[in-house]
Amino acid sequence: LAPITADVFLSKTSEIISKILAHSLQAGAVAFLHYSLAIFRLPFAVISQAINSVVLKEYSEKIALFDKNKARQLFMDGIKSNLFLLTPISVLMIILAEPVVSLFFERGQFDSIQAANTAYALKFYAIGLVGWGLQAFTARIFSARIDIKTSMFLNAIMLALNVLLAILLVKTKLT
């Protein structure tokens, strides 16, 4: 039970740390993170989770049938699919952050300055889109194999990378 608890703790800690760091910034920084994360999660949820669900179903069947070669191939196909689909979306999200944020949020009290700050935060999230997709995929695969230690190790690496990017974001023009 302890490894599972630690794994869940590691996977949820990065959002808390990001919000704690954002509280040290200018007024509205937590909102910039919130809105940028909402936009970021859309392609993550639609593409990465769809790939992961399909591959995991087949992967679990192959593991149950002791077909390790096919399971290994499905694992590699899942990684390749995540890379192939999420990399261009990540690049597009970085390039089109300003117009996308403006389209979704710029109205009323949410002016162009807030849109620019939200877009800036979105670019940092976009850098991690492929990593989030791969981490979600591998965490599910290792959980299906009941390999919590590997999942916990990967979550620790993702937490460290997320904290590093959050610290870099805090030290940028949003401060």
Side-chain angles (χ1 to χ4, degrees):
L1 186 60
I4 294 172
T5 304
D7 189 39
V8 171
F9 175 78
L10 286 171
S11 69
K12 302 299 179 192
T13 303
S14 63
E15 260 188 74
I16 296 167
I17 291 172
S18 295
K19 288 182 181 175
I20 289 170
L21 289 171
H23 279 290
S24 69
L25 302 176
Q26 68 180 3
V30 175
F32 303 150
L33 290 178
H34 172 76
Y35 290 124
S36 61
L37 188 58
I39 294 172
F40 166 81
R41 283 186 174 157
L42 182 63
F44 173 74
V46 171
I47 293 169
S48 181
Q49 299 298 27
I51 293 167
N52 298 350
S53 296
V54 170
V55 172
L56 183 63
K57 180 182 179 294
E58 289 185 44
Y59 181 85
S60 297
E61 290 172 4
K62 299 307 176 197
I63 288 293
L65 296 172
F66 300 102
D67 188 351
K68 290 186 178 187
N69 289 334
K70 184 62 177 170
R72 187 177 301 117
Q73 184 59 46
L74 285 167
F75 178 74
M76 294 308 297
D77 289 347
I79 288 175
K80 289 175 187 176
S81 296
N82 270 289
L83 287 170
F84 179 74
L85 294 172
L86 293 177
T87 300
I89 291 172
S90 178
V91 171
L92 283 173
M93 204 181 279
I94 292 168
I95 293 169
L96 299 174
E98 288 86 358
V100 168
V101 170
S102 293
L103 175 71
F104 283 127
F105 299 119
E106 194 175 328
R107 62 183 69 65
Q109 297 294 320
F110 199 97
D111 62 19
S112 62
I113 294 169
Q114 284 135 350
N117 286 329
T118 301
Y120 194 74
L122 177 59
K123 290 176 184 182
F124 275 81
Y125 279 123
I127 291 169
L129 181 61
V130 174
W132 269 46
L134 291 175
Q135 187 275 339
F137 175 70
T138 56
R140 285 179 152 192
I141 292 293
F142 290 119
S143 293
R145 292 179 51 206
I146 311 171
D147 185 356
I148 301 302
K149 287 182 181 178
T150 304
S151 178
M152 193 168 56
F153 175 74
L154 293 173
N155 277 333
I157 290 172
M158 289 301 294
L159 175 61
L161 288 172
N162 188 296
V163 169
L164 175 66
L165 285 173
I167 290 170
L168 289 173
L169 177 61
V170 166
K171 297 197 178 287
T172 63
K173 70 176 187 173
L174 287 179
T175 58

